[in-house]
Amino acid sequence: MNSATTLSQVPASSAQHRSTSSPLVLVGDCLVVALCMVIAYVLRYVLNIGVVNDVPPRPGVIEYFIHYSAGFVLFFLLAMNLKLYDSNVTASVERSTMRLVNVSLFWAIMFLGSSLILKLSPPISRLFVGYSCALMCGLLPAWRIAYLRAAKRVGFDKNLVKRVLLVGCSPEHTELVERLTSNASGTYEVVGVVTTTECAEASCRDLPIVGSLDRLDETLAELEVDAITVADLELSYDAILGIAKVCERRFVEFTLVPGEFEVFSQCLGLRMIGSQPVLGIAELPQNRIFSRIVKRVVDLVGSMVGLLITAPITPIVAFFIWKESPGPIIYRQTRMGKGGKLFTIYKFRSMKLASESDGKARWCKRDDPRRLKCGAFLRKWNIDELPQFWNVLKGDMSLVGPRPERPELIVDFLDKIPHYQSRHSVRPGMTGWAQVNGLRGDTSLEDRIQHDLQYIENWSLSLDITIQVRTLFQYKNAY
């Protein structure tokens, strides 16, 4: 590698890297937030939608201007704190949507809470805040999606497209390329592969070869590259360090395919042991103090509402179960929860009595003869899971999380399925990311675990809401 390269030789397009997104995104968000609050003002004080009792005279627009300004500043601070304008977020429809919903929900809670504490005059209307939040949750993602599609189609914002160069080939690089090229917003472009001594060119037949590792510096001088990803995990430490130094000199982002750190790889970060920085897994998003409080409050409210809503149908379900198969209505079973703690899960019985009289634990299969006639209906519509609201209320489970499994089955999984036990780092859920993607019952356990780990690693309140909504319409493999 040529160490004599100077910064003056670095192409301008490579030197100015996209650590943040286009200013157009920020300007657009600000305009949408302002529009949402104006519409909310009209809904609350002009049209009086949702107003039940007599209210004081409508405050003037000028009087509310201070509230507009305070809400505007609060949104901006939350957006910065939650890294809403990080290039990796703005370039992804999915990440942008989830992050925008999170910011909007936190904004509503903090805006209303701070107004009550500060006793602003005129007082902030709860309906005004609620309408603003609901509008933000809908209009902000819609604006971002429209912007990304327009930028992709017209090509007016090249800051949204990141050009990636792979170093080496490995079994991991195929999956990496598929993920990058299948990105819905078209925000990644794989420019080619730099071969290594351990990497045969034949294994890179699906990508263009743009150079070799010993000419990496010259290759970067010729190409406009934003990021380098090392996909050859057989490279020596010195070789990887050399690549990182070249990236630093060329202002190119340096990344590694996780390899051994494939579990919770997105949570890897620098931690301190005494005064020594070390690489380790940071605290999972769901286990942070504020996140635990928010998730538990949502679980408590959701479980109580769920129990109230489902109370009228419980006698009806019980009648059909008892009529077809007299016996216990509620089925109790031992499952493993957070930290390996065992608990009793509750379900409406959907199987015949003594369906496992041989003592062997097994999943329900399509057209399983052990099912009751009404049991097939209960399982398809997830009605058999409704008693688990009690488990959520007790704290054994959450509304959303990896589905809890039976300990007798887990014993067999631990040695066969890598990283299986990692799913027990959070509370299990009534529904989960794997289930809404059709991975339930007698399906691939490896795929199910992968989805569970993705959920744990990328948890957010908006993701939980998305999963709960999708649960109402997902019936694949529900038998």
Side-chain angles (χ1 to χ4, degrees):
M1 299 180 190
N2 184 9
S3 59
T5 305
T6 63
L7 289 179
S8 61
Q9 295 172 289
V10 179
S13 59
S14 296
Q16 300 298 327
H17 263 281
R18 306 189 268 272
S19 59
T20 57
S21 60
S22 169
L24 289 174
V25 178
L26 173 60
V27 173
D29 283 355
C30 291
L31 292 175
V32 172
V33 170
L35 176 63
C36 289
M37 287 195 286
V38 170
I39 296 175
Y41 177 87
V42 173
L43 293 175
R44 170 60 183 86
Y45 289 111
V46 177
L47 301 179
N48 289 323
I49 296 178
V51 178
V52 178
N53 301 318
D54 293 334
V55 294
R58 176 189 10 167
V61 175
I62 302 301
E63 294 179 275
Y64 243 56
F65 181 76
I66 297 178
H67 299 339
Y68 286 144
S69 303
F72 210 78
V73 172
L74 178 60
F75 180 88
F76 183 77
L77 293 175
L78 284 172
M80 292 297 141
N81 184 57
L82 295 178
K83 299 180 179 179
L84 185 59
Y85 300 104
D86 183 274
S87 59
N88 291 323
V89 175
T90 56
S92 169
V93 172
E94 185 179 49
R95 288 197 188 100
S96 289
T97 300
M98 290 194 296
R99 200 69 62 90
L100 285 166
V101 172
N102 277 340
V103 170
S104 301
L105 293 174
F106 288 144
W107 175 87
I109 295 171
M110 296 184 67
F111 190 30
L112 189 58
S114 59
S115 67
L116 293 174
I117 294 173
L118 298 176
K119 297 181 179 179
L120 298 179
S121 180
I124 290 287
S125 166
R126 287 171 291 182
L127 281 175
F128 169 78
V129 176
Y131 288 145
S132 298
C133 178
L135 289 166
M136 288 180 192
C137 288
L139 295 184
L140 282 171
W143 134 251
R144 287 286 190 95
I145 293 172
Y147 176 80
L148 286 173
R149 289 181 176 176
K152 178 184 176 182
R153 181 174 301 176
V154 182
F156 62 80
D157 194 350
K158 294 184 178 180
N159 283 335
L160 293 175
V161 180
K162 180 175 289 188
R163 290 169 58 84
V164 181
L165 177 67
L166 295 182
V167 175
C169 299
S170 68
E172 289 84 359
H173 102 278
T174 303
E175 182 180 357
L176 174 66
V177 172
E178 290 178 354
R179 289 185 178 182
L180 292 177
T181 55
S182 64
N183 185 269
S185 56
T187 50
Y188 294 98
E189 178 185 354
V190 181
V191 299
V193 175
V194 169
T195 59
T196 64
T197 54
E198 291 83 1
C199 169
E201 292 190 12
S203 63
C204 302
R205 60 185 181 275
D206 54 339
L207 290 172
I209 306 297
V210 296
S212 58
L213 183 58
D214 57 352
R215 296 191 69 256
L216 179 61
D217 207 17
E218 290 84 347
T219 301
L220 291 180
E222 297 169 0
L223 300 174
E224 294 184 5
V225 176
D226 302 306
I228 279 183
T229 295
V230 178
D232 186 354
L233 303 181
E234 300 300 322
L235 285 174
S236 65
Y237 170 80
D238 290 337
I240 294 177
L241 184 61
I243 297 171
K245 289 181 178 179
V246 173
C247 290
E248 180 182 15
R249 187 163 60 250
R250 289 284 178 183
F251 298 102
V252 172
E253 182 182 343
F254 172 77
T255 56
L256 276 167
V257 175
E260 291 92 357
F261 295 112
E262 58 187 354
V263 180
F264 303 142
S265 56
Q266 294 187 43
C267 295
L268 284 176
L270 285 177
R271 302 175 62 183
M272 300 298 292
I273 297 182
S275 59
Q276 175 64 42
V278 296
L279 183 66
I281 297 176
E283 190 174 24
L284 296 173
Q286 193 176 142
N287 287 337
R288 294 168 187 156
I289 294 178
F290 183 72
S291 299
R292 291 206 308 266
I293 294 173
V294 170
K295 189 167 176 63
R296 186 56 186 149
V297 169
V298 172
D299 284 343
L300 286 172
V301 174
S303 60
M304 288 187 286
V305 172
L307 288 170
L308 288 174
I309 293 176
T310 59
I313 70 171
T314 297
I316 301 174
V317 174
F319 171 77
F320 281 103
I321 294 174
W322 181 85
K323 183 179 179 181
E324 184 176 350
S325 175
I329 304 301
I330 299 296
Y331 180 65
R332 295 171 175 82
Q333 196 176 67
T334 301
R335 299 287 179 98
M336 183 173 288
K338 182 178 180 180
K341 180 182 178 181
L342 300 181
F343 69 96
T344 300
I345 195 173
Y346 305 106
K347 301 178 68 174
F348 284 126
R349 182 167 62 89
S350 59
M351 298 280 194
K352 299 174 182 177
L353 293 175
S355 58
E356 292 183 349
S357 56
D358 56 0
K360 294 182 180 180
R362 57 178 69 88
W363 285 315
C364 184
K365 299 181 179 181
R366 186 183 299 275
D367 300 322
D368 197 311
R370 299 174 298 161
R371 289 184 311 180
L372 299 173
K373 293 179 181 179
C374 65
F377 177 84
L378 296 178
R379 297 175 76 92
K380 178 179 179 180
W381 296 91
N382 299 311
I383 297 175
D384 63 318
E385 311 284 359
L386 295 182
Q388 289 166 36
F389 281 122
W390 283 111
N391 291 113
V392 176
L393 189 63
K394 290 169 57 181
D396 295 327
M397 295 176 61
S398 176
L399 293 175
V400 180
R403 285 294 294 163
E405 197 49 80
R406 301 165 67 175
E408 55 267 32
L409 293 175
I410 292 176
V411 173
D412 296 330
F413 299 157
L414 293 179
D415 295 330
K416 297 178 182 179
I417 308 299
H419 321 306
Y420 183 86
Q421 201 71 305
S422 299
R423 69 198 298 272
H424 294 119
S425 57
V426 299
R427 280 193 183 99
M430 290 181 64
T431 184
W433 184 236
Q435 283 64 43
V436 297
N437 283 281
L439 297 170
R440 56 194 296 180
D442 193 18
T443 55
S444 171
L445 193 57
E446 290 83 356
D447 291 344
R448 197 183 310 177
I449 301 307
Q450 183 180 11
H451 279 73
D452 285 340
L453 297 182
Q454 287 175 357
Y455 165 78
I456 295 171
E457 195 172 6
N458 297 281
W459 176 85
S460 68
L461 185 59
S462 57
L463 179 59
D464 274 4
I465 295 172
T466 301
I467 292 173
Q468 291 179 64
V469 172
R470 287 184 59 179
T471 300
L472 301 175
F473 308 99
Q474 177 53 254
Y475 314 120
K476 186 178 179 180
N477 297 321
Y479 44 76

